[in-house]
Amino acid sequence: MRVAEYVSYDAVGLAELVAEGEVTSAELRAAALEATRAVNSRINAVVETWPADDEPEPGSTPLAGVPFLVKDIGAAMAGRRMELGSRLAAGNVARADSFLTLRLRRAGLVTFGRTATSEMAYSITTEPVLYGATRNPWNLERSAGGSSGGAGAAVAAGVVPIAHGTDAAGSLRIPAAYNGLFGLKPTRGRVSMGPDFDELFSGLAVPGSVSRTVRDSAALLDQISGPEPGDPYFAQQPSRPYAREVARPPGRLRIGVLTQAWGGRRTTAPVADALSRAAGLLESLGHQVEEAEVDLGADWEEYVLANARLFTANLAASLDELATAFDRPIDSSTLEPATLAGYHYGQRISGAQFVAALAIRNRVARSLAQYFDTYDILLTPTVPELPVSMGTYTESAQTLDGLGWIDRVFDRSPFTMPFNMAGTPAMSVPLTADAETGLPIGMQFAAGYGLESRLFRLAGQLEQASPWTGRIPPVWAGNRTGR
């Protein structure tokens, strides 16, 4: 299969070709590697590719035989490197598969490499010292987002139709918005974090994916969701597969729109205009749309402080473990400024302060939950501005302490993190692009706990109504191998 043909299919479409015997999984893997070679020198999304393993049984699942990439954090594969984007963990090889990896393998996905992440997934751009910065395929001077920026850039550029990522504060939805993709953060407990973890970052982090089509993410969630032995909690499984929900009408939904973010960061004009057009599209589809005022459940300052305490205390514990395992120092030779500042801040968090931060998490979750009694869906911009220029975050990290870094990140991405605290599902949907720059703009839709099915039905409807989904960016322009 030629790369030009390969990049025109989504994951479900490729799997259908394999099941029908029109192409083999080995041929798809070869096309994915060719696509990687064609574009990766410009976007730096894939940090390593692996030799072929045993090929999966063709046609056994809706994704069997499809090339796939995992993020450099959050999906341990026995015998493969997982370096967490950090010099501190350079050379780390996973000893065993995570439950998620086992499910990806059972799904028949052909995982052939790993994608870039910001160090320890601790930024909303992807510019680690270890492997260098990942660039946006729509404009190489702009960021691909983070921390799943490698996944976002790889999928947008056609290397793979869908890729694994994680989301603790928007790390799937922000790259989805920056790269013109669909990205869903599942409900807390939907996908097992075991066996090594019961939860990550105190329940803020969840695994998921970014994809060019809605049905691909739905098909993957069908394969990876559900509890494993020892999980502390889990979300109830849906009555129908998510892949079937995409084609079902969502009904008439009551949608509350939050235009301006908590904390005072103003939504920029291009994004506000896109939000207005998204609201108009929803109304034209028969939904009831109205502006909403949503109480976060905490003052912005105490909300940021609580998150800083949760993130940095967890970070400090992880870094201590890595330093011991590799007999490496925790200093500027192994860690970037923001991560090192977070480590030092986290070391000073007391047990009482950590428990108080969990209480803020509960307040935010309870406050947001009440709005899902009033509205079926909450709509916000995914981020209040267009994709930022390269270096925007790395330059500011030089002078910030641990609290200052979290404040900086949340100020630039205020819409996503509350739904991590609440544990509710939220998705970024590519509906339009900025007229002046051509950069994609994502809209975030959030639903109540466990209601991914509702989001998939709406996303399926929006995908049919919007011309954006599935576009291939100009990184292919002039490339003889590509389009």
Side-chain angles (χ1 to χ4, degrees), residues 456-476:
F456 277 126
R457 289 195 293 269
L458 177 60
Q461 183 186 53
L462 291 171
E463 187 174 48
Q464 293 299 313
S466 169
W468 175 263
T469 304
R471 291 185 182 181
I472 300 294
V475 72
W476 281 101

mmCIF file with all atom_site columns, all heavy atoms in Angstrom, residues 456-476:
data_model
loop_
_atom_site.group_PDB
_atom_site.id
_atom_site.type_symbol
_atom_site.label_atom_id
_atom_site.label_alt_id
_atom_site.label_comp_id
_atom_site.label_asym_id
_atom_site.label_entity_id
_atom_site.label_seq_id
_atom_site.pdbx_PDB_ins_code
_atom_site.Cartn_x
_atom_site.Cartn_y
_atom_site.Cartn_z
_atom_site.occupancy
_atom_site.B_iso_or_equiv
_atom_site.pdbx_formal_charge
_atom_site.auth_seq_id
_atom_site.auth_comp_id
_atom_site.auth_asym_id
_atom_site.auth_atom_id
_atom_site.pdbx_PDB_model_num
ATOM 1   N N   . PHE A 1 456 ? -19.984 10.617 22.465 1.00 0.00 ? 456 PHE A N   1
ATOM 2   C CA  . PHE A 1 456 ? -19.743 9.989  21.169 1.00 0.00 ? 456 PHE A CA  1
ATOM 3   C C   . PHE A 1 456 ? -20.912 10.221 20.208 1.00 0.00 ? 456 PHE A C   1
ATOM 4   O O   . PHE A 1 456 ? -20.696 10.429 19.000 1.00 0.00 ? 456 PHE A O   1
ATOM 5   C CB  . PHE A 1 456 ? -19.490 8.488  21.338 1.00 0.00 ? 456 PHE A CB  1
ATOM 6   C CG  . PHE A 1 456 ? -18.075 8.147  21.710 1.00 0.00 ? 456 PHE A CG  1
ATOM 7   C CD1 . PHE A 1 456 ? -17.807 7.377  22.831 1.00 0.00 ? 456 PHE A CD1 1
ATOM 8   C CD2 . PHE A 1 456 ? -17.015 8.589  20.929 1.00 0.00 ? 456 PHE A CD2 1
ATOM 9   C CE1 . PHE A 1 456 ? -16.498 7.050  23.170 1.00 0.00 ? 456 PHE A CE1 1
ATOM 10  C CE2 . PHE A 1 456 ? -15.705 8.265  21.254 1.00 0.00 ? 456 PHE A CE2 1
ATOM 11  C CZ  . PHE A 1 456 ? -15.443 7.497  22.379 1.00 0.00 ? 456 PHE A CZ  1
ATOM 12  N N   . ARG A 1 457 ? -22.141 10.193 20.709 1.00 0.00 ? 457 ARG A N   1
ATOM 13  C CA  . ARG A 1 457 ? -23.281 10.451 19.820 1.00 0.00 ? 457 ARG A CA  1
ATOM 14  C C   . ARG A 1 457 ? -23.232 11.871 19.281 1.00 0.00 ? 457 ARG A C   1
ATOM 15  O O   . ARG A 1 457 ? -23.462 12.098 18.082 1.00 0.00 ? 457 ARG A O   1
ATOM 16  C CB  . ARG A 1 457 ? -24.595 10.202 20.564 1.00 0.00 ? 457 ARG A CB  1
ATOM 17  C CG  . ARG A 1 457 ? -24.866 8.731  20.853 1.00 0.00 ? 457 ARG A CG  1
ATOM 18  C CD  . ARG A 1 457 ? -26.309 8.493  21.256 1.00 0.00 ? 457 ARG A CD  1
ATOM 19  N NE  . ARG A 1 457 ? -26.648 9.094  22.537 1.00 0.00 ? 457 ARG A NE  1
ATOM 20  C CZ  . ARG A 1 457 ? -26.556 8.481  23.712 1.00 0.00 ? 457 ARG A CZ  1
ATOM 21  N NH1 . ARG A 1 457 ? -26.108 7.232  23.768 1.00 0.00 ? 457 ARG A NH1 1
ATOM 22  N NH2 . ARG A 1 457 ? -26.908 9.082  24.828 1.00 0.00 ? 457 ARG A NH2 1
ATOM 23  N N   . LEU A 1 458 ? -22.939 12.840 20.155 1.00 0.00 ? 458 LEU A N   1
ATOM 24  C CA  . LEU A 1 458 ? -22.852 14.227 19.696 1.00 0.00 ? 458 LEU A CA  1
ATOM 25  C C   . LEU A 1 458 ? -21.673 14.404 18.749 1.00 0.00 ? 458 LEU A C   1
ATOM 26  O O   . LEU A 1 458 ? -21.786 15.077 17.710 1.00 0.00 ? 458 LEU A O   1
ATOM 27  C CB  . LEU A 1 458 ? -22.716 15.169 20.893 1.00 0.00 ? 458 LEU A CB  1
ATOM 28  C CG  . LEU A 1 458 ? -22.540 16.657 20.549 1.00 0.00 ? 458 LEU A CG  1
ATOM 29  C CD1 . LEU A 1 458 ? -23.737 17.182 19.763 1.00 0.00 ? 458 LEU A CD1 1
ATOM 30  C CD2 . LEU A 1 458 ? -22.322 17.480 21.812 1.00 0.00 ? 458 LEU A CD2 1
ATOM 31  N N   . ALA A 1 459 ? -20.529 13.807 19.086 1.00 0.00 ? 459 ALA A N   1
ATOM 32  C CA  . ALA A 1 459 ? -19.351 13.942 18.229 1.00 0.00 ? 459 ALA A CA  1
ATOM 33  C C   . ALA A 1 459 ? -19.604 13.358 16.847 1.00 0.00 ? 459 ALA A C   1
ATOM 34  O O   . ALA A 1 459 ? -19.161 13.911 15.832 1.00 0.00 ? 459 ALA A O   1
ATOM 35  C CB  . ALA A 1 459 ? -18.158 13.255 18.880 1.00 0.00 ? 459 ALA A CB  1
ATOM 36  N N   . GLY A 1 460 ? -20.314 12.230 16.799 1.00 0.00 ? 460 GLY A N   1
ATOM 37  C CA  . GLY A 1 460 ? -20.645 11.645 15.509 1.00 0.00 ? 460 GLY A CA  1
ATOM 38  C C   . GLY A 1 460 ? -21.506 12.572 14.668 1.00 0.00 ? 460 GLY A C   1
ATOM 39  O O   . GLY A 1 460 ? -21.305 12.708 13.455 1.00 0.00 ? 460 GLY A O   1
ATOM 40  N N   . GLN A 1 461 ? -22.455 13.224 15.313 1.00 0.00 ? 461 GLN A N   1
ATOM 41  C CA  . GLN A 1 461 ? -23.307 14.180 14.601 1.00 0.00 ? 461 GLN A CA  1
ATOM 42  C C   . GLN A 1 461 ? -22.496 15.376 14.108 1.00 0.00 ? 461 GLN A C   1
ATOM 43  O O   . GLN A 1 461 ? -22.637 15.818 12.955 1.00 0.00 ? 461 GLN A O   1
ATOM 44  C CB  . GLN A 1 461 ? -24.437 14.658 15.518 1.00 0.00 ? 461 GLN A CB  1
ATOM 45  C CG  . GLN A 1 461 ? -25.422 15.592 14.841 1.00 0.00 ? 461 GLN A CG  1
ATOM 46  C CD  . GLN A 1 461 ? -26.439 16.145 15.812 1.00 0.00 ? 461 GLN A CD  1
ATOM 47  O OE1 . GLN A 1 461 ? -26.080 16.698 16.850 1.00 0.00 ? 461 GLN A OE1 1
ATOM 48  N NE2 . GLN A 1 461 ? -27.719 15.987 15.482 1.00 0.00 ? 461 GLN A NE2 1
ATOM 49  N N   . LEU A 1 462 ? -21.621 15.897 14.962 1.00 0.00 ? 462 LEU A N   1
ATOM 50  C CA  . LEU A 1 462 ? -20.801 17.046 14.583 1.00 0.00 ? 462 LEU A CA  1
ATOM 51  C C   . LEU A 1 462 ? -19.830 16.691 13.461 1.00 0.00 ? 462 LEU A C   1
ATOM 52  O O   . LEU A 1 462 ? -19.558 17.508 12.585 1.00 0.00 ? 462 LEU A O   1
ATOM 53  C CB  . LEU A 1 462 ? -20.036 17.568 15.795 1.00 0.00 ? 462 LEU A CB  1
ATOM 54  C CG  . LEU A 1 462 ? -20.883 18.239 16.879 1.00 0.00 ? 462 LEU A CG  1
ATOM 55  C CD1 . LEU A 1 462 ? -20.046 18.507 18.124 1.00 0.00 ? 462 LEU A CD1 1
ATOM 56  C CD2 . LEU A 1 462 ? -21.484 19.543 16.355 1.00 0.00 ? 462 LEU A CD2 1
ATOM 57  N N   . GLU A 1 463 ? -19.315 15.489 13.487 1.00 0.00 ? 463 GLU A N   1
ATOM 58  C CA  . GLU A 1 463 ? -18.395 15.051 12.441 1.00 0.00 ? 463 GLU A CA  1
ATOM 59  C C   . GLU A 1 463 ? -19.072 15.067 11.077 1.00 0.00 ? 463 GLU A C   1
ATOM 60  O O   . GLU A 1 463 ? -18.456 15.437 10.069 1.00 0.00 ? 463 GLU A O   1
ATOM 61  C CB  . GLU A 1 463 ? -17.879 13.654 12.766 1.00 0.00 ? 463 GLU A CB  1
ATOM 62  C CG  . GLU A 1 463 ? -16.793 13.151 11.841 1.00 0.00 ? 463 GLU A CG  1
ATOM 63  C CD  . GLU A 1 463 ? -16.235 11.829 12.331 1.00 0.00 ? 463 GLU A CD  1
ATOM 64  O OE1 . GLU A 1 463 ? -17.040 10.926 12.660 1.00 0.00 ? 463 GLU A OE1 1
ATOM 65  O OE2 . GLU A 1 463 ? -15.011 11.690 12.383 1.00 0.00 ? 463 GLU A OE2 1
ATOM 66  N N   . GLN A 1 464 ? -20.333 14.673 11.045 1.00 0.00 ? 464 GLN A N   1
ATOM 67  C CA  . GLN A 1 464 ? -21.073 14.689 9.785  1.00 0.00 ? 464 GLN A CA  1
ATOM 68  C C   . GLN A 1 464 ? -21.376 16.108 9.328  1.00 0.00 ? 464 GLN A C   1
ATOM 69  O O   . GLN A 1 464 ? -21.448 16.382 8.122  1.00 0.00 ? 464 GLN A O   1
ATOM 70  C CB  . GLN A 1 464 ? -22.384 13.910 9.947  1.00 0.00 ? 464 GLN A CB  1
ATOM 71  C CG  . GLN A 1 464 ? -22.196 12.421 10.173 1.00 0.00 ? 464 GLN A CG  1
ATOM 72  C CD  . GLN A 1 464 ? -21.493 11.740 9.015  1.00 0.00 ? 464 GLN A CD  1
ATOM 73  O OE1 . GLN A 1 464 ? -21.846 11.944 7.855  1.00 0.00 ? 464 GLN A OE1 1
ATOM 74  N NE2 . GLN A 1 464 ? -20.493 10.936 9.331  1.00 0.00 ? 464 GLN A NE2 1
ATOM 75  N N   . ALA A 1 465 ? -21.528 17.014 10.295 1.00 0.00 ? 465 ALA A N   1
ATOM 76  C CA  . ALA A 1 465 ? -21.925 18.385 9.961  1.00 0.00 ? 465 ALA A CA  1
ATOM 77  C C   . ALA A 1 465 ? -20.739 19.294 9.676  1.00 0.00 ? 465 ALA A C   1
ATOM 78  O O   . ALA A 1 465 ? -20.906 20.367 9.093  1.00 0.00 ? 465 ALA A O   1
ATOM 79  C CB  . ALA A 1 465 ? -22.752 18.979 11.109 1.00 0.00 ? 465 ALA A CB  1
ATOM 80  N N   . SER A 1 466 ? -19.536 18.880 10.077 1.00 0.00 ? 466 SER A N   1
ATOM 81  C CA  . SER A 1 466 ? -18.354 19.737 9.938  1.00 0.00 ? 466 SER A CA  1
ATOM 82  C C   . SER A 1 466 ? -17.444 19.204 8.849  1.00 0.00 ? 466 SER A C   1
ATOM 83  O O   . SER A 1 466 ? -17.196 17.999 8.771  1.00 0.00 ? 466 SER A O   1
ATOM 84  C CB  . SER A 1 466 ? -17.588 19.789 11.267 1.00 0.00 ? 466 SER A CB  1
ATOM 85  O OG  . SER A 1 466 ? -16.314 20.393 11.082 1.00 0.00 ? 466 SER A OG  1
ATOM 86  N N   . PRO A 1 467 ? -16.886 20.068 8.026  1.00 0.00 ? 467 PRO A N   1
ATOM 87  C CA  . PRO A 1 467 ? -15.986 19.613 6.955  1.00 0.00 ? 467 PRO A CA  1
ATOM 88  C C   . PRO A 1 467 ? -14.560 19.411 7.427  1.00 0.00 ? 467 PRO A C   1
ATOM 89  O O   . PRO A 1 467 ? -13.695 19.057 6.630  1.00 0.00 ? 467 PRO A O   1
ATOM 90  C CB  . PRO A 1 467 ? -16.055 20.773 5.954  1.00 0.00 ? 467 PRO A CB  1
ATOM 91  C CG  . PRO A 1 467 ? -16.255 21.988 6.816  1.00 0.00 ? 467 PRO A CG  1
ATOM 92  C CD  . PRO A 1 467 ? -17.139 21.526 7.959  1.00 0.00 ? 467 PRO A CD  1
ATOM 93  N N   . TRP A 1 468 ? -14.275 19.624 8.712  1.00 0.00 ? 468 TRP A N   1
ATOM 94  C CA  . TRP A 1 468 ? -12.884 19.652 9.160  1.00 0.00 ? 468 TRP A CA  1
ATOM 95  C C   . TRP A 1 468 ? -12.278 18.264 9.295  1.00 0.00 ? 468 TRP A C   1
ATOM 96  O O   . TRP A 1 468 ? -11.137 18.012 8.901  1.00 0.00 ? 468 TRP A O   1
ATOM 97  C CB  . TRP A 1 468 ? -12.789 20.377 10.499 1.00 0.00 ? 468 TRP A CB  1
ATOM 98  C CG  . TRP A 1 468 ? -11.390 20.328 11.050 1.00 0.00 ? 468 TRP A CG  1
ATOM 99  C CD1 . TRP A 1 468 ? -10.889 19.459 11.966 1.00 0.00 ? 468 TRP A CD1 1
ATOM 100 C CD2 . TRP A 1 468 ? -10.300 21.158 10.655 1.00 0.00 ? 468 TRP A CD2 1
ATOM 101 N NE1 . TRP A 1 468 ? -9.566  19.699 12.173 1.00 0.00 ? 468 TRP A NE1 1
ATOM 102 C CE2 . TRP A 1 468 ? -9.175  20.739 11.383 1.00 0.00 ? 468 TRP A CE2 1
ATOM 103 C CE3 . TRP A 1 468 ? -10.170 22.216 9.750  1.00 0.00 ? 468 TRP A CE3 1
ATOM 104 C CZ2 . TRP A 1 468 ? -7.932  21.344 11.246 1.00 0.00 ? 468 TRP A CZ2 1
ATOM 105 C CZ3 . TRP A 1 468 ? -8.936  22.818 9.615  1.00 0.00 ? 468 TRP A CZ3 1
ATOM 106 C CH2 . TRP A 1 468 ? -7.844  22.390 10.350 1.00 0.00 ? 468 TRP A CH2 1
ATOM 107 N N   . THR A 1 469 ? -13.006 17.326 9.876  1.00 0.00 ? 469 THR A N   1
ATOM 108 C CA  . THR A 1 469 ? -12.448 16.057 10.323 1.00 0.00 ? 469 THR A CA  1
ATOM 109 C C   . THR A 1 469 ? -11.718 15.308 9.215  1.00 0.00 ? 469 THR A C   1
ATOM 110 O O   . THR A 1 469 ? -12.198 15.197 8.095  1.00 0.00 ? 469 THR A O   1
ATOM 111 C CB  . THR A 1 469 ? -13.566 15.154 10.879 1.00 0.00 ? 469 THR A CB  1
ATOM 112 O OG1 . THR A 1 469 ? -14.233 15.856 11.906 1.00 0.00 ? 469 THR A OG1 1
ATOM 113 C CG2 . THR A 1 469 ? -13.005 13.859 11.448 1.00 0.00 ? 469 THR A CG2 1
ATOM 114 N N   . GLY A 1 470 ? -10.538 14.787 9.558  1.00 0.00 ? 470 GLY A N   1
ATOM 115 C CA  . GLY A 1 470 ? -9.805  13.924 8.651  1.00 0.00 ? 470 GLY A CA  1
ATOM 116 C C   . GLY A 1 470 ? -8.841  14.628 7.719  1.00 0.00 ? 470 GLY A C   1
ATOM 117 O O   . GLY A 1 470 ? -8.170  13.983 6.914  1.00 0.00 ? 470 GLY A O   1
ATOM 118 N N   . ARG A 1 471 ? -8.707  15.940 7.812  1.00 0.00 ? 471 ARG A N   1
ATOM 119 C CA  . ARG A 1 471 ? -7.786  16.648 6.933  1.00 0.00 ? 471 ARG A CA  1
ATOM 120 C C   . ARG A 1 471 ? -6.337  16.288 7.242  1.00 0.00 ? 471 ARG A C   1
ATOM 121 O O   . ARG A 1 471 ? -5.978  16.002 8.378  1.00 0.00 ? 471 ARG A O   1
ATOM 122 C CB  . ARG A 1 471 ? -7.961  18.159 7.083  1.00 0.00 ? 471 ARG A CB  1
ATOM 123 C CG  . ARG A 1 471 ? -9.286  18.691 6.541  1.00 0.00 ? 471 ARG A CG  1
ATOM 124 C CD  . ARG A 1 471 ? -9.301  20.198 6.628  1.00 0.00 ? 471 ARG A CD  1
ATOM 125 N NE  . ARG A 1 471 ? -10.566 20.759 6.175  1.00 0.00 ? 471 ARG A NE  1
ATOM 126 C CZ  . ARG A 1 471 ? -10.819 22.062 6.146  1.00 0.00 ? 471 ARG A CZ  1
ATOM 127 N NH1 . ARG A 1 471 ? -9.918  22.925 6.558  1.00 0.00 ? 471 ARG A NH1 1
ATOM 128 N NH2 . ARG A 1 471 ? -11.987 22.499 5.723  1.00 0.00 ? 471 ARG A NH2 1
ATOM 129 N N   . ILE A 1 472 ? -5.509  16.325 6.215  1.00 0.00 ? 472 ILE A N   1
ATOM 130 C CA  . ILE A 1 472 ? -4.083  16.089 6.375  1.00 0.00 ? 472 ILE A CA  1
ATOM 131 C C   . ILE A 1 472 ? -3.371  17.438 6.241  1.00 0.00 ? 472 ILE A C   1
ATOM 132 O O   . ILE A 1 472 ? -3.612  18.183 5.287  1.00 0.00 ? 472 ILE A O   1
ATOM 133 C CB  . ILE A 1 472 ? -3.552  15.103 5.314  1.00 0.00 ? 472 ILE A CB  1
ATOM 134 C CG1 . ILE A 1 472 ? -4.277  13.757 5.441  1.00 0.00 ? 472 ILE A CG1 1
ATOM 135 C CG2 . ILE A 1 472 ? -2.050  14.916 5.441  1.00 0.00 ? 472 ILE A CG2 1
ATOM 136 C CD1 . ILE A 1 472 ? -3.998  13.022 6.736  1.00 0.00 ? 472 ILE A CD1 1
ATOM 137 N N   . PRO A 1 473 ? -2.489  17.775 7.177  1.00 0.00 ? 473 PRO A N   1
ATOM 138 C CA  . PRO A 1 473 ? -1.901  19.121 7.206  1.00 0.00 ? 473 PRO A CA  1
ATOM 139 C C   . PRO A 1 473 ? -0.824  19.333 6.150  1.00 0.00 ? 473 PRO A C   1
ATOM 140 O O   . PRO A 1 473 ? -0.366  18.391 5.498  1.00 0.00 ? 473 PRO A O   1
ATOM 141 C CB  . PRO A 1 473 ? -1.307  19.192 8.609  1.00 0.00 ? 473 PRO A CB  1
ATOM 142 C CG  . PRO A 1 473 ? -0.990  17.781 8.961  1.00 0.00 ? 473 PRO A CG  1
ATOM 143 C CD  . PRO A 1 473 ? -2.073  16.969 8.329  1.00 0.00 ? 473 PRO A CD  1
ATOM 144 N N   . PRO A 1 474 ? -0.373  20.581 5.988  1.00 0.00 ? 474 PRO A N   1
ATOM 145 C CA  . PRO A 1 474 ? 0.574   20.928 4.909  1.00 0.00 ? 474 PRO A CA  1
ATOM 146 C C   . PRO A 1 474 ? 1.988   20.398 5.120  1.00 0.00 ? 474 PRO A C   1
ATOM 147 O O   . PRO A 1 474 ? 2.852   20.664 4.307  1.00 0.00 ? 474 PRO A O   1
ATOM 148 C CB  . PRO A 1 474 ? 0.559   22.465 4.904  1.00 0.00 ? 474 PRO A CB  1
ATOM 149 C CG  . PRO A 1 474 ? 0.094   22.860 6.259  1.00 0.00 ? 474 PRO A CG  1
ATOM 150 C CD  . PRO A 1 474 ? -0.856  21.786 6.687  1.00 0.00 ? 474 PRO A CD  1
ATOM 151 N N   . VAL A 1 475 ? 2.255   19.649 6.201  1.00 0.00 ? 475 VAL A N   1
ATOM 152 C CA  . VAL A 1 475 ? 3.566   19.040 6.329  1.00 0.00 ? 475 VAL A CA  1
ATOM 153 C C   . VAL A 1 475 ? 3.831   18.095 5.171  1.00 0.00 ? 475 VAL A C   1
ATOM 154 O O   . VAL A 1 475 ? 4.978   17.797 4.828  1.00 0.00 ? 475 VAL A O   1
ATOM 155 C CB  . VAL A 1 475 ? 3.684   18.291 7.692  1.00 0.00 ? 475 VAL A CB  1
ATOM 156 C CG1 . VAL A 1 475 ? 2.850   17.025 7.692  1.00 0.00 ? 475 VAL A CG1 1
ATOM 157 C CG2 . VAL A 1 475 ? 5.142   17.972 8.014  1.00 0.00 ? 475 VAL A CG2 1
ATOM 158 N N   . TRP A 1 476 ? 2.763   17.625 4.514  1.00 0.00 ? 476 TRP A N   1
ATOM 159 C CA  . TRP A 1 476 ? 2.914   16.732 3.351  1.00 0.00 ? 476 TRP A CA  1
ATOM 160 C C   . TRP A 1 476 ? 3.112   17.514 2.047  1.00 0.00 ? 476 TRP A C   1
ATOM 161 O O   . TRP A 1 476 ? 3.465   16.923 1.038  1.00 0.00 ? 476 TRP A O   1
ATOM 162 C CB  . TRP A 1 476 ? 1.683   15.852 3.202  1.00 0.00 ? 476 TRP A CB  1
ATOM 163 C CG  . TRP A 1 476 ? 1.666   14.700 4.139  1.00 0.00 ? 476 TRP A CG  1
ATOM 164 C CD1 . TRP A 1 476 ? 0.963   14.589 5.304  1.00 0.00 ? 476 TRP A CD1 1
ATOM 165 C CD2 . TRP A 1 476 ? 2.378   13.477 4.002  1.00 0.00 ? 476 TRP A CD2 1
ATOM 166 N NE1 . TRP A 1 476 ? 1.202   13.395 5.901  1.00 0.00 ? 476 TRP A NE1 1
ATOM 167 C CE2 . TRP A 1 476 ? 2.071   12.677 5.121  1.00 0.00 ? 476 TRP A CE2 1
ATOM 168 C CE3 . TRP A 1 476 ? 3.255   12.972 3.048  1.00 0.00 ? 476 TRP A CE3 1
ATOM 169 C CZ2 . TRP A 1 476 ? 2.594   11.407 5.309  1.00 0.00 ? 476 TRP A CZ2 1
ATOM 170 C CZ3 . TRP A 1 476 ? 3.778   11.697 3.229  1.00 0.00 ? 476 TRP A CZ3 1
ATOM 171 C CH2 . TRP A 1 476 ? 3.452   10.943 4.348  1.00 0.00 ? 476 TRP A CH2 1
#
